[in-house]
Every structure is written in C-alpha cells, then in structure tokens.
Amino acid sequence: MSKNPSSKQSFLLRSLNLYGLDHLDPIILASLTDGQPLLLIGRHGTAKSELLNRLASALGLRHRHYNASLIAFDDLLGFPVPNPEKNALTYLRTDGDLWDAESVFLDEISRCRPEHQNKLFSIIHERRVQGLLLDKLRYRWSAMNPPISLEGLEEHEEAYQGSLPLDPALADRFPYIVEIPDFNDMNAACRRSIISKGGCADVDGASIQGWIDSASAQRKNISSQESEWIGDYVNALVLPLKKAGWPISGRRAVVLSKTIASIHAACLALNWKDSLKDTAFIALKWGLPQRVKGERITVSKLNSIHKAALQAAGQPQDSPLLKIQAESNPVKRIALALQVSKSAIPRIEFSQLVTDAYAGLSVPERYLLSRQLLPILATKDRVTASTYELLSKPLLKLKQFTEQGTHNLSVHRNRASEWDRLVRKVSRVSKGNAYNTPQLCNILYTLFTVENENFDPTLLVKTDRLWHGWLHPGEPCKEAA
C-alpha cells in the first residue's frame, strides 16, 4: 500500500469547523468507514454532540439523537398495538422512531438506567431492537461525561455524580472509545479558531464522503503481510496489558486487529504520514474499554507496552522476547532479559523492566533485588542512571547501618519473638555458604531495625537463593541455611 507523497494532508474535523481535534481525524474516519460503534467521552461543552450531529448533517443521514437518560422505548419503536389478527404486536410509527434511521446518537449513555442500557445493548452491538434488524442503520454513536473514578480526582477536576461507569459488556461493544480534550487544554491558535469559527455548522459533506470512499478502498487493499503483522502485534499486547491492569477480552483483541487496519486505511486516505506501527498505537490508545470505568490510561505506560509488542511482533514462537512477555514473575523477566542482547532490549526498555519489578516488590524483596542485580549491572551497560540510582537505595541504607560501630535496639515485647527468630536465622545463615553471606545477614538486621518491617526471615532467605539462581545461572546455587 502506498500514497502519493506530494498529496496534501487533509483534516476531516476542520472541514466541520471543529478545531483542536486533528489527532482524532483517523479514528473518526475509520469509524465512518467500517461502521463500528463510536463512543465519545468528554466534559460538558467539549462539542461531543456537535461533532456527531455535524457529521450526520454533512453526510445527509436520516439521523436520530436521543438522550439515553430520558429515553422511553416507545421513542425508539413507536407505540405497540395488537395487529388485526390479535396474535402479535405491531408499532404505530412516529417521526422520531428508529426504523428508517441511518445513524443514531445515544447521548448521556452513562446516565442511563441499567434496564435501559440493556435495551440499547442490542442496538449498539448488532443493529437490532426487540430482535428485529434495523437494516438501514449504518452508524451507532454515543457520548458521555467522564464517569466517577475509583482512582480519585485531580484537584482541578469536577466530578460528574450522575455519570456512572458503563457495564463492562456494553463497553466492550464500542471498538472506538475516544476522549475529547477540554477547551482549556488546547493551544491558543485552536481556541481562537473555535471562538471565531466554531459556531458555524454550514459545511459540505462531499469531501467527507470522498475520504470515506478512499479509506474503504485502502482498507480492502491491506496486504496479507500487513494483516499477519497486525495479528502478531495484537497477540503480543495481551499479556503486557493484563500485567498493567488493563486486560482485554478475546472480542476486544479481534476488534482491535480490525480497527488498526481501518485507522491505517484512514491515515492513507487523509494523506497522513503515519506508518502502520504508528496507527497501531493510535488504535491501542483509543481502543481500551477501561476508560469508561474511569481508569486513567497513562500514555507513557501504554507506550512501553506498545514498544514491547512491536519488538515481539513477527518473532518466532520460541523467541526470548516472547518468553519474557509470557513470564509472570517480574524478577524472572529480568533474568530472561539479561540473556538477550542490548540490541534486542535497549537500555530504556530494560530499565522499564527493572523499575516495574522494583515498584511491585515489598521492601524486603527490594533489598534482595538490589543485592542480586546491582553486581551484574555494575559490569553491564543495561540501565539508565535513574534506574541504577533507584536500585541502589536499599543498599545505601544497608551501608549506613553497617558503618555504625554499635547498635542500641529497643524491642517491644510484642515483637520480641520475631527478634528471637531473626537472631536464630542469622546465626544459621552465617554458618552457611550463601552468596555474600555477611551482606545477607546485615540485610535481615536492617529490615528489622531500620525499616521496621514484619517479614519471615526463612522465606526471605529462600527467595534470595531462588533469585540468585535466576540472575546468576552460571554459578552454583549455594545453600543459605
């Protein structure tokens, strides 16, 4: 697939006098091309409704705009009455019913009662209502305010108390889930364009239809090689997304592979210079259903997952990169990564592995990771300075502890038995032949006296031995008593 490099880049939403939204052009065009449901999330006044209604007007669609929080089912179907034979119901048509609609906009869907959400489910998912196919319906769109989040609000944010997270099954039916930026977050030029031109809705839809036709043609021309790469990429996302707390269903994985292709075709139709790898990230960013639960999708974390998937895509099944992704233990992942060359896992990605592991460990485990990993990193240029500094913190505390000549310890009687157990364990460890035995003993003392940690010294010593075997595979695994 190729495009004319001399062609001028096009902007879909600017043609509707909507500004500050250029980055959403490929997603909007992709949704118009493949006809998959689109959900907009944004604060009040961010032009969510205006965007969708202008699209419908520009394309000359028979459009229905419902407020889902107030909707009655009669609004969708008409009024049910018995048929002449008295053996079934028929519907008295109204001007606002759905039967001939080509596009439907279900606004405020997050304020909709659960029983109404269930009725709207089949419309969004399969273009059906009461089991009857809405064969003329091309587009299903929805919008909502940001839902109440369990993660809390930033100081400057307002809570929408009536906007609740969508049912997970309903959220999974929206392939495109897009956040609309707030007016205050746009640059000065965009704000000025909105102020001067944003109120004008008189637009010509010919260009939009032309872009849809072009994107549709580009979509059909995606090569088998590109399709295979997309499948490998999505497959490589599954485990990292789960580990990040953003798991996707099998349905979402299938849908994501299709939206990547659609967004790529949209970029080509608009003469954007994004590569297939670039459009894969766009699809990932705006394809996670966790947004409708109020979860924050951090771009930096998502970008790390994307880069890891790019590295794994196309790799053979026995590839070390795939083994690293499949490994659930974060320290074992580091050990596997140490066996891979720096060219395969660059410093930034390796550092991310280490910092992610460190963040998920308990304080006693962080001491063990520092003691086992730092000697290796001292001879290998694998992590950034900030990662090395983070990993060094526990051993700096250990150094301060060991440099003191004497220690005065006052132990509460509630912890006296813990102290006795620790002393007995240190005595046994000191007689063994574990890796750097004095350091391990001092770590046990430091955790109790300096960090004031409650831990099982026997379990910690066993963990230390296990990690030493992973991180130092060439060395004999010594007994730590």
Side-chain angles (χ1 to χ4, degrees), residues 107-123:
D107 202 0
E108 306 289 0
I109 194 168
S110 61
R111 300 176 186 271
C112 183
R113 293 199 297 264
E115 61 269 23
H116 283 172
Q117 278 191 19
N118 292 335
K119 293 177 180 179
L120 299 176
F121 185 98
S122 61
I123 298 173

Side-chain angles (χ1 to χ4, degrees), residues 185-198:
D185 295 330
M186 296 179 181
N187 62 43
C190 288
R191 295 198 304 269
R192 186 69 182 85
S193 295
I194 292 172
I195 293 169
S196 60
K197 305 174 187 177

Side-chain angles (χ1 to χ4, degrees), residues 20 38 45 58 70-71 80 97 121 131 141 149 179 187 205 208-209 222 250 253 351 353 359 378 433-434 476:
L38 167 69
L70 304 174
I71 199 171
D97 65 40
F121 185 98
W141 301 325
S149 172
E179 287 186 2
N187 62 43
I208 296 178
Q209 187 59 56
I222 287 181
S351 297
L353 277 177
N433 61 349

Side-chain angles (χ1 to χ4, degrees), residues 80 85 93 155 187 260 356-357 466:
E85 292 77 21
R93 299 287 304 278
E155 290 184 4
N187 62 43
I260 291 172
D356 286 347
L466 177 65

Side-chain angles (χ1 to χ4, degrees), residues 320 324 332-341 350 382 470 473:
I324 293 169
K332 187 66 175 291
R333 285 203 297 273
I334 295 173
L336 292 172
L338 282 169
Q339 301 172 27
V340 180
S341 66
F350 190 92
R382 297 299 298 265
W470 289 347

